[in-house]
Amino acid sequence: MSDSGPLYIGIDIGTGSVRAALAQRDGTLLHTSSYEIRTWRSANDHRIFEQSTDDIWGRISAAVKDCLQGAAAQTAGKAESDIAARVRGIGFDATCSLAVTDLDGKGVTVTEGSELGAYGERNIILWADHRAEKEAEDINATGSVVLDYVGGRMSLEMEIPKILWLKKRMKSELFSRCQFFDLPDYLTYRATGNTARSCCSLTCKCSYVSVVPKSTSDGTNQSGWDDQFFHTIGLGELVERGYGQIGTVNSANGEEILTAGIPVGHGLSKKAAEELGLREGIAVGSGLIDAYAGWLGTVGARCLTSPSSGDLLEPHPSVEESSHRLAVVAGTSSCHIVQSKDGIFVEGIWGPYKDPVFPGWWMNEGGQSATGQLIEHIISTHPAKDTLHKKAKEEGKDIYTVLHDTLEHLRVEKKAETYTELTKDLHLYPDFHGNRSPIADPRMRGSIVGLTLDGSSLSSLALLYHATLIAIALQTRSIVDELNTKGHKIQRLYVSGSQARNGILMRLLADACYNPKSNTPLEGVVISASDAEVNFAKKESRRVGVSAVVLGAAMLGRMAHEVSEQQESLGDERKAEILWNIMTEMTPPGVLIPPSTAQSDGAGVNNGKEKEKRILDAKYEIFLEIIEIQKRWREKMDQAAA
């Protein structure tokens, strides 16, 4: 590690943990640290997920100090204070959860009951909390133009339905003292004391539509908040108070709406600096929702030209190429994000959002509410789970390796050519937690067709696990197809998160989403070289354990530092240029996994892979048919129960 040069801190708040990373200018992570976050559930309502800003901030403080201590230990003769003195910027990303405080930043309880609206620790409604289903339905019934910019339907996971839920149940005098933050914006507020909001959070989760014109009382024409929309849905108080409770536009108090990484206020406050072990005034970048930080940390990657080419990489991509690169940030849930120069409306896909990351660019976001969580659920609820864990412990392997070994044993035993052939008659539909995209229907439910009486063996678990991977891949195809049908031209999927380390799933994504008849057939799936099994000519060039999301947060810190050093005011194009250069410089190399049937060994494509592609295509037709069947059955039962 170099003992000079600027350092940047990235803070990532996921669903269940806080992660901090200390990064060099080239993206090399010097040290990382993570802590679990406390989540409260309800014994009576499975929809409820709550967290605490104080708990999260305490975990952040501990993780940052760990990074400083760990980096100092790697540098002879250096103390933590020496490392802290080199930190020039800090960036935050977080889940799109709703944080509620009073106007002084003190936590306000969001738990239904007598304590709702009082001061308390449980002041975050987690993104996965589905309590606001009725409020989302009422909002969607308005037909407002605002809905056009969220794919036609507002999700109950967004902030406005949750705020409406709170307003309906909270005493008016308590509601009036609240301010509401998407969690990334709360963190920059806690770090700086400044209430500037990120364009990402307001546009993507808080119904701020910067291109919808609005006439004001003084005759001028502004844009952003739609007064009629908020009055119609029952949140007229926000309008009457100048939107100060959710973020105002360049007001006299200095609140602003900032694109990614633009410096917030005067940097790190004295109090926050003391809590984090850093210096006061360090640049703090405007934050991002975690999935968008994952986009930031992946789509600038240059791929290795071949596994045997050592460090030979593709040429530096231009920012225009980002419009052909779909980021798939795959952890507990999965988000699918793509950028375009013009706004593209896609029913069932969130957006188009203007300026959420790059000024002057639009983005669409698809998603799957449960992917990693679904895999975990399938495994943890199966009767063979104890057998699986016992076998993994005995063999010194992780459970997924044992499942893959079991599939290989079954493939040989059944004389099947692929694992997919083993599960050709087993069809799993994955919406166990509702559908986010492209149906945008929280009432969709999961299903499994093709079960046998063998429901307790390790083999049955392995087959069900593989059917789950196929379902995730097929649903990703439905999102990609919908995006391309409406005007996007996606050529590569850039996958990050825990699922990127699942080689079988990555291959299924490449094969399932490949359509040779498309005008822009998929080139393949790109994962970080640190997640791939490749042979490097220079082993030391491999960056191990690089998380795209926390790296994206560190990029925000570097962006804030570099912008704050500029002497002149920057236009949108210059801001975009600086950020794209940061992305291409800090993102580690990628490895391209091409579709199996797009490859030829000179004698033609492997017949087994051709058969697998036929099976996947047939399964996709069945996948789409299951959706229609479920809708039809639900309507029939609703009519019967009316």
Side-chain angles (χ1 to χ4, degrees):
M1 160 180 143
S2 170
D3 59 1
S4 62
L7 300 175
Y8 305 99
I9 290 177
I11 306 293
D12 165 43
I13 313 302
T15 300
S17 65
V18 164
R19 176 179 290 187
L22 185 65
Q24 294 184 153
R25 183 182 175 85
D26 67 353
T28 300
L29 300 188
L30 302 182
H31 199 83
T32 64
S33 176
S34 64
Y35 288 88
E36 290 188 359
I37 297 169
R38 183 177 182 184
T39 299
W40 286 270
R41 301 295 309 276
S42 168
N44 303 315
D45 191 341
H46 71 279
R47 302 172 303 169
I48 302 301
F49 295 79
E50 296 172 353
Q51 294 181 341
S52 162
T53 54
D54 285 343
D55 174 64
I56 288 173
W57 190 258
R59 302 293 192 266
I60 290 172
S61 298
V64 169
K65 290 174 181 176
D66 286 350
C67 288
L68 299 175
Q69 182 179 14
Q74 299 173 37
T75 310
K78 297 294 181 181
E80 292 175 42
S81 59
D82 297 318
I83 302 298
R86 293 171 54 195
V87 176
R88 295 289 184 270
I90 183 169
F92 295 91
D93 77 75
T95 61
C96 50
S97 302
L98 181 69
V100 186
T101 73
D102 71 359
L103 299 180
D104 295 319
K106 191 173 181 179
V108 171
T109 300
V110 297
T111 307
E112 186 169 20
S114 60
E115 296 301 311
L116 179 65
Y119 292 120
E121 183 180 16
R122 295 167 63 168
N123 69 319
I124 294 175
I125 301 179
L126 191 67
W127 69 269
D129 188 299
H130 281 192
R131 71 181 71 183
E133 182 175 345
K134 177 62 166 59
E135 287 71 22
E137 290 177 356
D138 292 344
I139 291 171
N140 288 324
T142 66
S144 169
V145 67
V146 170
L147 302 177
D148 294 343
Y149 293 85
V150 289
R153 291 184 60 81
M154 184 168 292
S155 169
L156 77 174
E157 294 177 2
M158 293 179 175
E159 309 304 11
I160 299 305
K162 292 173 181 175
I163 294 173
L164 182 57
W165 184 94
L166 291 170
K167 189 256 182 180
K168 287 180 176 180
R169 292 161 177 80
M170 195 181 290
K171 294 178 180 179
S172 59
E173 64 271 21
L174 297 181
F175 185 82
S176 66
R177 75 176 182 180
C178 292
Q179 54 180 342
F180 304 96
F181 295 91
D182 197 37
L183 188 53
D185 288 345
Y186 170 81
L187 296 174
T188 58
Y189 166 66
R190 182 87 177 235
T192 66
N194 189 288
T195 57
R197 307 299 178 103
S198 67
C199 194
C200 183
S201 284
L202 290 194
T203 302
C204 299
K205 304 301 173 186
C206 299
S207 301
Y208 178 82
V209 184
S210 63
V211 294
V212 174
K214 177 186 74 171
S215 297
T216 60
S217 57
D218 60 5
T220 60
N221 211 20
Q222 295 181 353
S223 60
W225 306 111
D226 186 318
D227 293 358
Q228 182 179 355
F229 168 73
F230 284 96
H231 279 298
T232 300
I233 67 173
L235 286 174
E237 296 96 327
L238 301 183
V239 182
E240 295 161 4
R241 296 167 188 148
Y243 298 99
Q245 290 177 275
I246 56 176
T248 58
V249 184
N250 296 325
S251 73
N253 294 327
E255 292 103 339
E256 297 176 291
I257 296 177
L258 307 174
T259 53
I262 299 302
V264 177
H266 300 292
L268 203 62
S269 70
K270 180 178 180 180
K271 183 175 186 294
E274 291 172 351
E275 292 169 338
L276 300 179
L278 298 170
R279 293 192 173 186
E280 182 181 358
I282 290 170
V284 176
S286 178
L288 288 175
I289 297 165
D290 53 355
Y292 288 79
W295 179 91
L296 203 71
T298 54
V299 299
R302 301 161 63 198
C303 287
L304 296 162
T305 54
S306 71
S308 60
S309 64
D311 295 330
L312 187 59
L313 299 173
E314 296 173 326
H316 276 280
S318 66
V319 68
E320 286 72 23
E321 289 183 54
S322 66
S323 62
H324 306 303
R325 300 181 171 196
L326 178 75
V328 182
V329 186
T332 304
S333 61
S334 293
C335 293
H336 308 73
I337 300 174
V338 64
Q339 180 166 262
S340 58
K341 199 59 180 168
D342 299 311
I344 299 175
F345 291 85
V346 186
E347 187 175 356
I349 306 289
W350 295 344
Y353 300 133
K354 192 173 187 294
D355 305 332
V357 179
F358 276 61
W361 286 75
W362 298 73
M363 301 184 92
N364 289 94
E365 177 188 351
Q368 296 161 281
S369 293
T371 49
Q373 184 181 25
L374 176 61
I375 295 170
E376 181 182 352
H377 172 77
I378 292 297
I379 293 173
S380 64
T381 58
H382 195 278
K385 67 178 186 300
D386 292 337
T387 302
L388 172 64
H389 285 279
K390 180 181 179 181
K391 187 174 180 65
K393 184 176 181 181
E394 290 174 350
E395 297 181 1
K397 300 175 180 177
D398 63 75
I399 60 172
Y400 299 102
T401 300
V402 173
L403 288 171
H404 298 169
D405 290 346
T406 304
L407 287 168
E408 177 61 17
H409 174 77
L410 288 170
R411 187 191 68 79
V412 173
E413 181 184 282
K414 302 292 186 182
K415 295 182 172 57
E417 293 176 287
T418 63
Y419 302 153
T420 299
E421 187 177 348
L422 289 171
T423 56
K424 69 181 181 65
D425 295 317
L426 184 60
H427 307 287
L428 185 143
Y429 183 75
D431 284 337
F432 284 50
H433 197 53
N435 182 276
R436 187 186 301 171
S437 301
I439 306 170
D441 184 350
R443 293 184 64 193
M444 292 298 291
R445 292 293 178 262
S447 64
I448 304 171
V449 177
L451 295 174
T452 70
L453 289 177
D454 177 16
S456 60
S457 70
L458 184 57
S459 294
S460 71
L461 173 54
L463 293 172
L464 193 57
Y465 161 75
H466 192 262
T468 305
L469 300 187
I470 290 175
I472 291 170
L474 295 177
Q475 191 164 65
T476 301
R477 174 177 171 176
S478 73
I479 294 169
V480 172
D481 283 356
E482 195 66 27
L483 288 166
N484 285 338
T485 297
K486 294 303 189 293
H488 286 285
K489 297 180 180 179
I490 295 165
Q491 296 175 345
R492 292 180 177 182
L493 310 184
Y494 283 71
V495 184
S496 63
S498 58
Q499 294 175 49
R501 294 188 290 273
N502 189 323
I504 292 177
L505 177 57
M506 294 304 99
R507 173 62 64 192
L508 284 169
L509 281 174
D511 290 342
C513 296
Y514 175 62
N515 180 3
K517 298 179 181 179
S518 169
N519 292 330
T520 55
L522 192 76
E523 295 176 7
V525 169
V526 176
I527 60 174
S528 171
S530 63
D531 290 325
E533 297 178 358
V534 297
N535 296 316
F536 283 82
K538 297 180 179 179
K539 292 290 185 181
E540 66 274 12
S541 68
R542 180 175 180 178
R543 302 185 197 174
V544 178
V546 176
S547 164
V549 180
V550 78
L551 180 62
M555 291 176 184
L556 297 174
R558 179 177 162 187
M559 177 70 174
H561 172 228
E562 294 193 5
V563 170
S564 66
E565 294 287 297
Q566 300 291 321
Q567 299 300 315
E568 71 282 352
S569 177
L570 301 177
D572 286 352
E573 287 191 12
R574 179 59 180 145
K575 291 176 185 176
E577 179 185 5
I578 293 173
L579 184 54
W580 183 254
N581 287 339
I582 289 172
M583 292 168 63
T584 58
E585 290 173 12
M586 293 184 71
T587 306
V591 172
L592 177 67
I593 303 171
S596 300
T597 51
Q599 302 178 76
S600 175
D601 58 7
V605 179
N606 180 283
N607 287 333
K609 292 300 180 183
E610 286 278 18
K611 180 193 291 186
E612 181 175 37
K613 178 58 176 169
R614 292 196 302 271
I615 294 173
L616 288 172
D617 286 346
K619 277 182 168 285
Y620 185 58
E621 292 179 10
I622 293 170
F623 178 92
L624 297 177
E625 188 176 354
I626 288 173
I627 295 172
E628 297 308 314
I629 290 172
Q630 182 174 158
K631 288 181 177 180
R632 191 169 68 249
W633 286 0
R634 186 172 67 195
E635 181 180 4
K636 188 181 293 290
M637 297 312 298
D638 285 347
Q639 290 173 351

